[in-house]
Amino acid sequence: MIRSSRRKFLCSLGALGLATLPRAGRPDDPGGITSPSGANFCGAAPQGSPLFVPGDNAFLGRLRPAGALVRLRAASSGDAAVSWALAYTAEREGRRYINPTFVLQPGERLRVDFDNALPEPTIVHWHGLTVDTRNDGAGLTLVSRGEQYAYDFEVRNRGGLYWYHPHPHGATAGQAYRGLFGLIEIEDADERTLRSSLDLQPGRTEIPLVLHDRRPGKDYAASAADQVHGFLGDTVLINGTACPYLDVATRIYRFRVLNASNARTYRLAFRTVTGKPIPFMLIGTDGGLLRAPQLCAEAFLSVAERLDVLLDLSEASVGETLHLETRAFDPMHMEMPHEAAAVAGGVDQAAMGHAMPPSAPGAVDHAAMGHGSGFPEGAPRALLELRVRERLVLGTKLPGHLSSLPPIDASGAAERPLRLGYAKGRWRINDRVFVMGETPIEVKRGSVETWLIRNYFNSMPHAMHLHGFHFDVLERQTSPEQIAALKVDERGRLATDLGRKDTVLVWPGETVRIAIDFTLPKAASFAGDQVYMFHCHNLEHEDGGMMLGVKVS
Ligand code: C2O
Ligand code: CU
Ligand code: CU
């Protein structure tokens, strides 16, 4: 009770326009949240390795096409600098990139000649971008080995962090896990204002954090149980670094977080090594900057979602150490044991009985379920160590207003019910699984719809993603306690529901209502029927058919 009202308070200051950041190291920081994660940071190797921070070439390097044609190639990585099997490579002006970060401006034309040097078919999907079906790369068309595909579209999105990854139906999880994903950064006027008012410099004080959990080895071998629950790794890499640390100064940092994991959800928070929580400012989500910053103690981040975060270290002391951690939570894998056991092929009933480890009440013991991960979902762990090394005095101030974001007008919109559940060995949407060429969801272009996404009680959380359009989260109903405790308004929404979204996590027993404006751009490429995908971004669920085609005509 005390805790939930404190969180409500924490997450509402920003909305009141109070443009002051919480200061790390202040003795009166709201406290009370402790977790044992410091103890398990890197296990026996507490020194860790420096966080890889992308520059303007090589891995995750920032590539500005500025209208020029980019050749992007999917191939085996063959590069010792990358810890996984596959990579996207590109070259521009003599620089070589691995999984480049495309840096784009609204209105610019993006031309990418994609080259498939994998031994299997693939295709690139631009996650979160407003593109026509031909450029969406949803898997309706595949590029075979040795073939090319030409993308050509205008950048039509707000400033924000988007990303790209493969989308060949049934093989997406394996290709993404083996290393195929990259970032897209769109810079608009609001972005530039934010950067200049806080003196943020990409690569120094503005740093992407790409979370990806891995098992030992480079291979992807999902068991039948993994296909039900999602593939969990036992090590979390950030920007490819295991046990990462970052040396920081006493100033404001911007972290742009993408959860590129196949299946794992994180409950992110900052704390000192002695356990004192450090609130942060949430300034953006999937579709760019919020209207106003939101002060938060923590935030859930499911697969494919993005968080844009400011952390103020101006009152931290030199020598102090902080952690970005994932806190303990109940992963709520409440799917029917009988069916799951049948699919898992002989995992015995007792082991499937959703044992509860003491660290996370209600958590399923995934190790006991043969998930092959020594790091169950919902277990606490430090993910990144921040070492305060330098004193700096900067007179920067966070603007109270970040962007203009007119809400989608959903008055009079028709409502479409969508139910998420498990039956006959498959995760389903409205009792259906994906069939290539079918579009069970048909929408009129230019219409606004509300979608009522309801997840059954005996289910697990599903991160629902819609291609081609961003949506507003209107409300959450019957949320589990650990989610309801984070709500910031009377509609049950979380700070992370604000702003434009393309992926939303729906917990068991929960109903989430979203509003979508199906207006398509006037350009000729959008003439005629357009087909998009609506699916769970748990990649094992997506590959297993928890996806429906959406026709916009
Ligand atoms: Cu991240 Cu169907 O996409
Ligand atoms: Cu499970
Ligand atoms: Cu799912």
Side-chain angles (χ1 to χ4, degrees):
M1 186 62 205
I2 290 164
R3 174 174 291 189
S4 87
S5 55
R6 175 189 303 129
R7 290 213 189 91
K8 235 176 270 176
F9 170 70
L10 276 178
C11 282
S12 59
L13 289 175
L16 299 173
L18 187 71
T20 308
L21 283 160
R23 303 299 171 111
R26 204 169 53 187
D28 60 346
D29 269 336
I33 304 166
T34 53
S35 82
S37 65
N40 61 23
F41 183 70
C42 295
Q47 66 278 16
S49 350
L51 174 73
F52 177 81
V53 177
D56 60 3
N57 66 2
F59 185 53
L60 301 178
R62 292 159 57 84
L63 186 161
R64 292 178 183 272
L69 176 70
V70 178
R71 290 196 155 274
L72 184 73
R73 185 181 155 92
S76 85
S77 68
D79 188 311
V82 181
S83 52
W84 35 66
L86 307 179
Y88 288 120
T89 58
E91 281 184 35
R92 165 128 174 93
E93 294 181 331
R95 296 188 175 126
R96 308 197 58 212
Y97 296 86
I98 299 165
N99 295 16
T101 297
F102 287 93
V103 182
L104 309 170
Q105 321 290 318
E108 134 179 11
R109 178 174 169 196
L110 180 65
R111 287 182 300 146
V112 173
D113 275 0
F114 173 66
D115 210 340
N116 180 14
L118 305 176
E120 62 189 84
T122 189
I123 188 76
V124 182
H125 167 59
W126 312 98
H127 181 119
L129 297 197
T130 303
V131 287
D132 57 295
T133 300
R134 214 204 69 83
N135 281 296
D136 190 46
L140 301 167
T141 308
L142 295 180
V143 186
S144 346
R145 166 184 201 159
E147 301 291 306
Q148 282 80 35
Y149 195 79
Y151 294 92
D152 187 347
F153 59 87
E154 183 188 327
V155 176
R156 294 182 167 86
N157 291 79
R158 306 176 77 227
L161 184 70
Y162 305 85
W163 64 304
Y164 60 97
H165 59 77
H167 219 290
H169 184 58
T172 297
Q175 291 186 6
Y177 179 79
R178 283 180 283 146
L180 294 181
F181 51 80
L183 302 172
I184 302 168
E185 223 185 86
I186 300 182
E187 297 176 327
D188 62 4
D190 293 328
E191 266 296 316
R192 283 189 288 275
T193 305
L194 177 74
R195 279 183 181 152
S196 64
S197 57
L198 293 179
D199 182 34
L200 294 169
Q201 291 173 35
R204 291 173 48 81
T205 51
E206 174 184 316
I207 297 171
L209 302 178
V210 181
L211 275 47
H212 196 229
D213 61 335
R214 322 258 330 149
R215 294 183 194 170
K218 295 187 173 184
D219 233 23
Y220 172 80
S223 67
D226 292 332
Q227 281 157 20
V228 176
H229 304 283
F231 188 92
L232 298 171
D234 31 37
T235 307
V236 179
L237 303 187
I238 303 190
N239 304 345
T241 315
C243 303
Y245 70 82
L246 179 69
D247 287 342
V248 292
T250 56
R251 55 153 295 148
I252 292 172
Y253 283 81
R254 180 186 192 186
F255 296 115
R256 309 184 74 174
V257 193
L258 162 69
N259 182 357
S261 307
N262 278 35
R264 181 183 295 276
T265 294
Y266 302 85
R267 181 185 187 179
L268 299 177
F270 293 94
R271 65 197 272 288
T272 65
V273 276
T274 55
K276 189 170 49 157
I278 311 289
F280 57 88
M281 278 288 185
L282 180 73
I283 56 168
T285 52
D286 305 347
L289 294 174
L290 305 180
R291 292 179 190 89
Q294 300 281 317
L295 185 53
C296 290
E298 60 176 33
F300 281 93
L301 186 68
S302 77
V303 282
E305 286 185 304
R306 284 85 75 202
L307 285 183
D308 201 340
V309 156
L310 294 178
L311 184 69
D312 187 357
L313 300 175
S314 61
E315 289 185 16
S317 351
V318 172
E320 195 174 355
T321 300
L322 313 171
H323 283 164
L324 168 65
E325 63 175 353
T326 179
R327 301 188 59 220
F329 66 94
D330 179 351
M332 299 190 77
H333 286 221
M334 322 222 294
E335 56 273 3
M336 286 163 283
H338 280 280
E339 303 232 24
V343 175
V347 175
D348 81 70
Q349 274 301 303
M352 291 299 296
H354 286 187
M356 297 178 188
S359 59
V364 178
D365 183 346
H366 284 99
M369 296 176 68
H371 284 212
S373 170
F375 178 28
E377 190 170 28
R381 186 174 285 192
L383 302 174
L384 169 67
E385 191 160 281
L386 301 172
R387 302 176 176 177
V388 184
R389 285 286 187 257
E390 192 191 344
R391 171 139 298 280
L392 264 187
V393 184
L394 277 180
T396 51
K397 251 194 128 180
L398 177 63
H401 170 89
L402 297 170
S403 77
S404 326
L405 192 56
I408 294 171
D409 180 7
S411 52
E415 183 148 284
R416 186 181 295 273
L418 294 150
R419 299 177 312 275
L420 314 178
Y422 188 85
K424 297 191 211 126
R426 315 273 296 267
W427 288 109
R428 291 160 189 269
I429 303 171
N430 283 354
D431 303 320
R432 310 175 70 122
V433 291
F434 181 68
V435 178
M436 190 63 77
E438 288 186 6
T439 52
I441 302 178
E442 304 202 340
V443 175
K444 241 181 82 218
R445 73 170 63 211
S447 64
V448 175
E449 291 197 356
T450 59
W451 288 12
L452 192 69
I453 311 171
R454 187 162 63 108
N455 196 359
Y456 286 113
F457 280 96
N458 53 354
S459 180
M460 59 174 274
H462 297 287
M464 302 309 296
H465 168 54
L466 176 64
H467 288 208
F469 301 88
H470 280 254
F471 49 80
D472 281 355
V473 175
L474 299 180
E475 67 179 314
R476 284 183 187 265
Q477 299 168 354
T478 56
S479 302
E481 176 55 37
Q482 63 186 1
I483 299 306
L486 299 177
K487 70 175 194 225
V488 293
D489 64 21
E490 68 297 338
R491 293 188 277 165
R493 297 189 301 174
L494 317 178
T496 46
D497 290 329
L498 308 176
R500 288 284 194 270
K501 293 286 294 170
D502 59 45
T503 306
V504 66
L505 186 61
V506 187
W507 291 81
E510 194 179 35
T511 298
V512 176
R513 178 181 275 111
I514 63 175
I516 314 156
D517 181 348
F518 285 99
T519 301
L520 288 169
K522 295 272 183 291
S525 54
F526 287 88
D529 292 353
Q530 300 296 315
V531 173
Y532 297 99
M533 297 295 157
F534 175 62
H535 63 86
C536 178
H537 218 288
N538 177 314
L539 295 181
E540 284 69 35
H541 294 181
E542 174 182 346
D543 275 346
M546 194 178 187
M547 172 158 81
L548 296 179
V550 179
K551 182 158 83 184
V552 183
S553 42

